[in-house]
Amino acid sequence: MQTTLLGVGRTTLYQWKQGKIGPLDRHVLERLSYLFGIYAALQIYGWWQWTRAGTMHDGRQVTRLDARSILLGLSVGAIGSLSLGAAMAHWTDAAQPWLDAALTGFSLVAQLWMAQIRLQCWALWFVLDVIFVGLFIYKGLY
């Protein structure tokens, strides 16, 4: 409501632009900013891991996760996906809330594994990207 009422005193191109972003209410932007904040934090963590971690502070080496760590990471992704999916299905009008939530939950796991330079992140990113492409085609976002 606030964005569409700015500049009502006179008709300007600015008003038209405000009307175009009006549907992006502050709640949607807040949810997106939280997600962007998480990804930004993972990027900073990854930069530190890649450049400063290790005993000599020269960065981590590429490592593999053991089966227990893979299962733990995928479990966290599944729990996050179910929680986010339930919230999206209840409070948003997303076209595919459960799939969007699953892709988000597992993308965060893949991002964490990438930050830690884990070899398995590539397989997870590959699977996620294939599903993302299918979802974008389904939604007509090509």
Side-chain angles (χ1 to χ4, degrees):
M1 184 84 162
Q2 288 176 311
T3 54
T4 56
L5 293 178
L6 292 176
V8 209
R10 72 182 190 189
T11 305
T12 64
L13 183 60
Y14 180 73
Q15 260 181 311
W16 178 81
K17 288 180 183 176
Q18 289 297 317
K20 291 295 184 193
I21 65 166
L24 295 176
D25 68 359
R26 68 181 177 85
H27 300 294
V28 171
L29 294 175
E30 284 173 4
R31 285 191 297 270
L32 288 174
S33 67
Y34 293 138
L35 185 59
F36 291 142
I38 292 169
Y39 277 110
L42 285 171
Q43 289 292 330
I44 292 167
Y45 171 72
W47 170 82
W48 183 81
Q49 289 291 314
W50 284 51
T51 60
R52 305 279 191 251
T55 56
M56 303 297 292
H57 301 288
D58 58 354
R60 285 179 87 142
Q61 301 301 314
V62 176
T63 56
R64 293 178 185 263
L65 291 165
D66 60 9
R68 182 176 171 269
S69 297
I70 293 171
L71 185 59
L72 177 65
L74 295 178
S75 297
V76 168
I79 291 168
S81 298
L82 290 172
S83 301
L84 183 59
M88 288 177 67
H90 186 266
W91 287 302
T92 71
D93 60 351
Q96 297 290 322
W98 294 99
L99 184 55
D100 282 338
L103 290 170
T104 299
F106 287 106
S107 291
L108 289 170
V109 172
Q111 187 70 29
L112 178 64
W113 287 354
M114 188 169 66
Q116 296 172 343
I117 315 177
R118 306 295 191 178
L119 189 61
Q120 288 86 350
C121 80
W122 297 107
L124 184 53
W125 273 125
F126 179 79
V127 170
L128 290 170
D129 286 343
V130 167
I131 298 169
F132 267 120
V133 168
L135 179 62
F136 291 158
I137 290 171
Y138 172 78
K139 288 182 174 183
L141 299 174
Y142 48 89

